[in-house]
Amino acid sequence: MVHASVILGVAFSRRFERLEELGDIKHAIQNMQQAVDLTPDGHASKAAQLGNLGGALLCQFDHLGDLGDIEHAIWVSQQAVDLTSDGHANKASWLSNLGRALQHQFKHLGELEDIEHAIQVRQQAVDLTPDGHADKASLLNNLGVAFEHLGELGDIENATSTYQQATANKSGPHSIRYHA
């Protein structure tokens, strides 16, 4: 039952990305929440299921603007991070998702602690990702965007330095390096 809920949730989420019918993202969230609820604590896939749910909630927030969605996304994303050891291959991804959710909340509420926390977790994601990894440029670019939100000279300098690192990362996609 858990596996079916995960597959169905991901399918609805992908269909929503293409067609943008709100019923699809709602079904995705329902199925992903069911998978989380049915998975016992301590199970190896629990963090991944929480990460998927956080992404779907953030997607729904982007379309509806309901702050409850972003708060829930932050909560489940933090759980995914907490359940994952630093050496795990997906830890940087979960940290990046948490940082993205925190940035969205900062944009809507303007709470400085949200962007500071976003920078902290995005920096962690960069630090956990080895040089030469295909995702490193994207993680650096995301960190640069987070720094920009603060607008102080030191933060702009940090953003510039981070963007320079992203452009120099030859293993990252050209589109990400160009954007940086």
Side-chain angles (χ1 to χ4, degrees):
M1 182 68 175
V2 173
H3 187 66
S5 293
V6 171
I7 291 172
L8 199 52
V10 170
F12 274 119
S13 185
R14 290 205 174 127
R15 190 165 86 172
F16 175 76
E17 289 171 8
R18 296 202 186 348
L19 303 176
E20 294 189 1
E21 292 184 17
L22 287 176
D24 288 336
I25 196 64
K26 291 191 180 302
H27 289 303
I29 290 169
Q30 288 170 347
N31 281 282
M32 290 176 181
Q33 183 66 60
Q34 182 177 21
V36 167
D37 293 343
L38 291 172
T39 303
D41 291 339
H43 192 279
S45 68
K46 184 91 170 196
Q49 292 164 6
L50 288 162
N52 287 338
L53 177 58
L57 287 161
L58 189 55
C59 191
Q60 181 169 277
F61 171 78
D62 286 341
H63 284 79
L64 297 178
D66 182 355
L67 286 175
D69 288 333
I70 196 73
E71 291 167 357
H72 194 186
I74 290 169
W75 187 73
V76 298
S77 296
Q78 183 66 61
Q79 284 185 310
V81 167
D82 293 344
L83 289 173
T84 308
S85 66
D86 284 350
H88 192 280
N90 290 330
K91 178 83 174 225
S93 177
W94 305 150
L95 286 162
S96 183
N97 290 345
L98 176 57
R100 182 171 164 239
L102 288 161
Q103 277 180 241
H104 281 287
Q105 183 165 283
F106 170 75
K107 286 182 203 175
H108 283 78
L109 298 179
E111 297 290 332
L112 190 58
E113 66 188 39
D114 288 332
I115 196 63
E116 289 171 344
H117 191 194
I119 289 169
Q120 176 193 6
V121 297
R122 287 197 180 269
Q123 182 66 60
Q124 262 184 286
V126 167
D127 293 343
L128 288 174
T129 305
D131 292 334
H133 191 284
D135 293 339
K136 184 89 171 207
S138 179
L139 294 170
L140 285 162
N141 188 58
N142 293 342
L143 178 58
V145 171
F147 276 124
E148 281 188 44
H149 286 294
L150 293 174
E152 299 292 323
L153 179 59
D155 299 311
I156 299 300
E157 289 170 349
N158 285 337
T160 301
S161 172
T162 303
Y163 288 140
Q164 287 172 336
Q165 292 173 54
T167 60
N169 187 304
K170 304 287 187 213
S171 60
H174 294 291
S175 61
I176 298 294
R177 293 172 53 214
Y178 175 79
H179 185 263

Short mmCIF file of all heavy atoms in Angstrom, two decimals, residues 123-161:
data_model
loop_
_atom_site.label_atom_id
_atom_site.label_comp_id
_atom_site.label_asym_id
_atom_site.label_seq_id
_atom_site.Cartn_x
_atom_site.Cartn_y
_atom_site.Cartn_z
N GLN A 123 23.96 26.38 2.87
CA GLN A 123 25.42 26.26 3.02
C GLN A 123 25.78 24.83 3.41
O GLN A 123 26.75 24.27 2.90
CB GLN A 123 25.94 27.25 4.07
CG GLN A 123 27.45 27.21 4.24
CD GLN A 123 28.18 27.69 3.00
OE1 GLN A 123 28.01 28.82 2.57
NE2 GLN A 123 29.00 26.82 2.41
N GLN A 124 25.00 24.23 4.29
CA GLN A 124 25.21 22.83 4.67
C GLN A 124 25.12 21.93 3.44
O GLN A 124 25.93 21.01 3.29
CB GLN A 124 24.15 22.39 5.68
CG GLN A 124 24.57 22.41 7.11
CD GLN A 124 23.44 21.83 7.97
OE1 GLN A 124 22.43 22.50 8.19
NE2 GLN A 124 23.62 20.62 8.43
N ALA A 125 24.14 22.18 2.60
CA ALA A 125 23.97 21.37 1.39
C ALA A 125 25.20 21.47 0.50
O ALA A 125 25.70 20.47 -0.02
CB ALA A 125 22.72 21.80 0.62
N VAL A 126 25.72 22.69 0.34
CA VAL A 126 26.94 22.89 -0.46
C VAL A 126 28.11 22.16 0.18
O VAL A 126 28.88 21.46 -0.51
CB VAL A 126 27.25 24.40 -0.60
CG1 VAL A 126 28.65 24.63 -1.15
CG2 VAL A 126 26.21 25.07 -1.49
N ASP A 127 28.25 22.30 1.49
CA ASP A 127 29.38 21.69 2.20
C ASP A 127 29.36 20.16 2.12
O ASP A 127 30.42 19.53 2.10
CB ASP A 127 29.40 22.13 3.66
CG ASP A 127 29.69 23.61 3.83
OD1 ASP A 127 30.18 24.25 2.87
OD2 ASP A 127 29.42 24.14 4.93
N LEU A 128 28.17 19.57 2.09
CA LEU A 128 28.06 18.11 2.03
C LEU A 128 28.27 17.55 0.62
O LEU A 128 28.41 16.34 0.46
CB LEU A 128 26.68 17.67 2.53
CG LEU A 128 26.44 17.79 4.03
CD1 LEU A 128 24.99 17.46 4.36
CD2 LEU A 128 27.38 16.87 4.80
N THR A 129 28.27 18.42 -0.37
CA THR A 129 28.36 17.97 -1.76
C THR A 129 29.80 18.11 -2.25
O THR A 129 30.36 19.20 -2.23
CB THR A 129 27.42 18.79 -2.66
OG1 THR A 129 26.10 18.71 -2.12
CG2 THR A 129 27.41 18.27 -4.08
N PRO A 130 30.41 17.02 -2.66
CA PRO A 130 31.81 17.10 -3.08
C PRO A 130 31.99 17.91 -4.37
O PRO A 130 31.08 17.98 -5.21
CB PRO A 130 32.20 15.64 -3.30
CG PRO A 130 30.93 14.88 -3.42
CD PRO A 130 29.86 15.67 -2.76
N ASP A 131 33.16 18.53 -4.48
CA ASP A 131 33.50 19.22 -5.72
C ASP A 131 33.46 18.20 -6.86
O ASP A 131 33.82 17.04 -6.67
CB ASP A 131 34.89 19.86 -5.63
CG ASP A 131 34.93 21.01 -4.64
OD1 ASP A 131 33.87 21.62 -4.40
OD2 ASP A 131 36.01 21.29 -4.10
N GLY A 132 32.99 18.62 -8.00
CA GLY A 132 32.88 17.71 -9.14
C GLY A 132 31.53 17.02 -9.23
O GLY A 132 31.23 16.38 -10.23
N HIS A 133 30.70 17.14 -8.19
CA HIS A 133 29.36 16.56 -8.22
C HIS A 133 28.48 17.38 -9.15
O HIS A 133 28.55 18.61 -9.17
CB HIS A 133 28.77 16.53 -6.80
CG HIS A 133 27.52 15.73 -6.69
ND1 HIS A 133 26.30 16.17 -7.14
CD2 HIS A 133 27.31 14.49 -6.17
CE1 HIS A 133 25.39 15.25 -6.90
NE2 HIS A 133 25.97 14.22 -6.31
N ALA A 134 27.64 16.72 -9.92
CA ALA A 134 26.80 17.40 -10.91
C ALA A 134 25.84 18.41 -10.29
O ALA A 134 25.45 19.37 -10.94
CB ALA A 134 26.01 16.37 -11.72
N ASP A 135 25.44 18.22 -9.03
CA ASP A 135 24.50 19.13 -8.37
C ASP A 135 25.17 20.33 -7.69
O ASP A 135 24.47 21.23 -7.22
CB ASP A 135 23.68 18.38 -7.32
CG ASP A 135 22.73 17.37 -7.93
OD1 ASP A 135 22.40 17.50 -9.13
OD2 ASP A 135 22.32 16.44 -7.21
N LYS A 136 26.48 20.33 -7.60
CA LYS A 136 27.18 21.36 -6.83
C LYS A 136 26.89 22.77 -7.38
O LYS A 136 26.64 23.70 -6.60
CB LYS A 136 28.69 21.09 -6.81
CG LYS A 136 29.50 22.04 -5.96
CD LYS A 136 29.60 21.55 -4.55
CE LYS A 136 30.58 22.37 -3.74
NZ LYS A 136 31.17 21.63 -2.64
N ALA A 137 26.92 22.95 -8.69
CA ALA A 137 26.66 24.28 -9.27
C ALA A 137 25.27 24.77 -8.92
O ALA A 137 25.08 25.95 -8.58
CB ALA A 137 26.85 24.23 -10.79
N SER A 138 24.29 23.90 -8.97
CA SER A 138 22.92 24.28 -8.64
C SER A 138 22.80 24.66 -7.17
O SER A 138 22.15 25.66 -6.82
CB SER A 138 21.98 23.12 -8.97
OG SER A 138 20.66 23.44 -8.63
N LEU A 139 23.44 23.89 -6.30
CA LEU A 139 23.39 24.20 -4.86
C LEU A 139 24.08 25.53 -4.56
O LEU A 139 23.61 26.31 -3.74
CB LEU A 139 24.03 23.06 -4.07
CG LEU A 139 23.30 21.72 -4.12
CD1 LEU A 139 24.14 20.61 -3.50
CD2 LEU A 139 21.93 21.81 -3.46
N LEU A 140 25.20 25.79 -5.24
CA LEU A 140 25.89 27.08 -5.08
C LEU A 140 25.02 28.23 -5.58
O LEU A 140 24.94 29.28 -4.95
CB LEU A 140 27.23 27.06 -5.82
CG LEU A 140 28.34 26.24 -5.15
CD1 LEU A 140 29.44 25.93 -6.16
CD2 LEU A 140 28.89 26.99 -3.95
N ASN A 141 24.38 28.03 -6.72
CA ASN A 141 23.49 29.06 -7.27
C ASN A 141 22.36 29.37 -6.29
O ASN A 141 22.03 30.53 -6.04
CB ASN A 141 22.94 28.60 -8.62
CG ASN A 141 22.19 29.69 -9.32
OD1 ASN A 141 22.73 30.76 -9.59
ND2 ASN A 141 20.93 29.44 -9.62
N ASN A 142 21.75 28.32 -5.72
CA ASN A 142 20.67 28.51 -4.75
C ASN A 142 21.15 29.27 -3.52
O ASN A 142 20.43 30.12 -2.98
CB ASN A 142 20.10 27.16 -4.33
CG ASN A 142 19.37 26.46 -5.44
OD1 ASN A 142 18.99 27.05 -6.43
ND2 ASN A 142 19.21 25.15 -5.30
N LEU A 143 22.36 28.97 -3.06
CA LEU A 143 22.93 29.69 -1.92
C LEU A 143 23.15 31.16 -2.26
O LEU A 143 22.84 32.04 -1.46
CB LEU A 143 24.25 29.03 -1.49
CG LEU A 143 24.99 29.69 -0.34
CD1 LEU A 143 24.12 29.76 0.92
CD2 LEU A 143 26.30 28.94 -0.07
N GLY A 144 23.62 31.43 -3.47
CA GLY A 144 23.80 32.81 -3.90
C GLY A 144 22.49 33.59 -3.89
O GLY A 144 22.45 34.74 -3.43
N VAL A 145 21.44 32.99 -4.35
CA VAL A 145 20.12 33.62 -4.35
C VAL A 145 19.69 33.94 -2.91
O VAL A 145 19.16 35.01 -2.63
CB VAL A 145 19.06 32.73 -5.05
CG1 VAL A 145 17.66 33.27 -4.85
CG2 VAL A 145 19.38 32.61 -6.54
N ALA A 146 19.94 33.01 -2.00
CA ALA A 146 19.58 33.23 -0.60
C ALA A 146 20.34 34.42 -0.03
O ALA A 146 19.77 35.26 0.67
CB ALA A 146 19.84 31.97 0.22
N PHE A 147 21.64 34.51 -0.32
CA PHE A 147 22.43 35.65 0.16
C PHE A 147 21.87 36.98 -0.35
O PHE A 147 21.89 37.98 0.36
CB PHE A 147 23.89 35.53 -0.27
CG PHE A 147 24.74 34.67 0.61
CD1 PHE A 147 25.44 33.59 0.09
CD2 PHE A 147 24.87 34.94 1.96
CE1 PHE A 147 26.25 32.80 0.89
CE2 PHE A 147 25.67 34.16 2.78
CZ PHE A 147 26.36 33.08 2.24
N GLU A 148 21.40 36.99 -1.59
CA GLU A 148 20.90 38.23 -2.19
C GLU A 148 19.73 38.83 -1.42
O GLU A 148 19.54 40.03 -1.42
CB GLU A 148 20.46 37.98 -3.64
CG GLU A 148 21.61 37.93 -4.61
CD GLU A 148 21.10 37.87 -6.03
OE1 GLU A 148 20.17 38.62 -6.38
OE2 GLU A 148 21.65 37.05 -6.79
N HIS A 149 18.96 38.00 -0.77
CA HIS A 149 17.77 38.48 -0.05
C HIS A 149 18.11 39.43 1.09
O HIS A 149 17.29 40.25 1.48
CB HIS A 149 16.94 37.32 0.48
CG HIS A 149 16.19 36.59 -0.57
ND1 HIS A 149 15.16 37.16 -1.30
CD2 HIS A 149 16.32 35.32 -1.04
CE1 HIS A 149 14.69 36.29 -2.16
NE2 HIS A 149 15.37 35.16 -2.02
N LEU A 150 19.31 39.30 1.64
CA LEU A 150 19.68 40.14 2.77
C LEU A 150 20.08 41.56 2.34
O LEU A 150 19.82 42.51 3.05
CB LEU A 150 20.80 39.49 3.58
CG LEU A 150 20.38 38.21 4.30
CD1 LEU A 150 21.59 37.55 4.95
CD2 LEU A 150 19.31 38.49 5.32
N GLY A 151 20.72 41.69 1.20
CA GLY A 151 20.99 43.00 0.62
C GLY A 151 22.11 43.80 1.23
O GLY A 151 22.40 44.91 0.78
N GLU A 152 22.77 43.32 2.26
CA GLU A 152 23.91 44.02 2.85
C GLU A 152 25.14 43.78 1.97
O GLU A 152 25.23 42.78 1.27
CB GLU A 152 24.18 43.53 4.27
CG GLU A 152 23.03 43.75 5.24
CD GLU A 152 22.80 45.22 5.54
OE1 GLU A 152 23.79 45.97 5.63
OE2 GLU A 152 21.63 45.61 5.66
N LEU A 153 26.10 44.69 2.04
CA LEU A 153 27.29 44.60 1.20
C LEU A 153 28.00 43.26 1.37
O LEU A 153 28.34 42.59 0.39
CB LEU A 153 28.25 45.75 1.48
CG LEU A 153 29.54 45.75 0.66
CD1 LEU A 153 29.23 45.79 -0.84
CD2 LEU A 153 30.43 46.90 1.07
N GLY A 154 28.20 42.82 2.61
CA GLY A 154 28.86 41.54 2.85
C GLY A 154 28.10 40.38 2.26
O GLY A 154 28.70 39.42 1.76
N ASP A 155 26.78 40.46 2.30
CA ASP A 155 25.95 39.39 1.74
C ASP A 155 26.02 39.39 0.21
O ASP A 155 26.04 38.32 -0.40
CB ASP A 155 24.51 39.53 2.22
CG ASP A 155 24.41 39.42 3.73
OD1 ASP A 155 24.99 38.47 4.29
OD2 ASP A 155 23.77 40.29 4.34
N ILE A 156 26.06 40.58 -0.38
CA ILE A 156 26.21 40.67 -1.84
C ILE A 156 27.57 40.12 -2.26
O ILE A 156 27.68 39.41 -3.27
CB ILE A 156 26.01 42.12 -2.33
CG1 ILE A 156 24.60 42.63 -1.96
CG2 ILE A 156 26.29 42.25 -3.81
CD1 ILE A 156 23.47 41.82 -2.56
N GLU A 157 28.58 40.40 -1.47
CA GLU A 157 29.91 39.84 -1.76
C GLU A 157 29.90 38.32 -1.64
O GLU A 157 30.50 37.62 -2.47
CB GLU A 157 30.96 40.45 -0.82
CG GLU A 157 31.24 41.91 -1.12
CD GLU A 157 32.10 42.60 -0.05
OE1 GLU A 157 32.31 42.02 1.04
OE2 GLU A 157 32.55 43.73 -0.33
N ASN A 158 29.21 37.80 -0.62
CA ASN A 158 29.08 36.34 -0.48
C ASN A 158 28.33 35.75 -1.67
O ASN A 158 28.70 34.69 -2.18
CB ASN A 158 28.35 35.98 0.82
CG ASN A 158 29.22 36.14 2.04
OD1 ASN A 158 30.43 36.11 1.96
ND2 ASN A 158 28.59 36.33 3.19
N ALA A 159 27.28 36.43 -2.11
CA ALA A 159 26.51 35.96 -3.27
C ALA A 159 27.40 35.93 -4.51
O ALA A 159 27.41 34.94 -5.26
CB ALA A 159 25.29 36.85 -3.50
N THR A 160 28.16 36.99 -4.71
CA THR A 160 29.04 37.08 -5.87
C THR A 160 30.07 35.96 -5.86
O THR A 160 30.29 35.28 -6.87
CB THR A 160 29.74 38.45 -5.92
OG1 THR A 160 28.74 39.46 -5.98
CG2 THR A 160 30.66 38.56 -7.12
N SER A 161 30.67 35.73 -4.71
CA SER A 161 31.66 34.66 -4.58
C SER A 161 31.03 33.30 -4.85
O SER A 161 31.62 32.44 -5.53
CB SER A 161 32.26 34.70 -3.18
OG SER A 161 33.07 33.59 -2.96
#
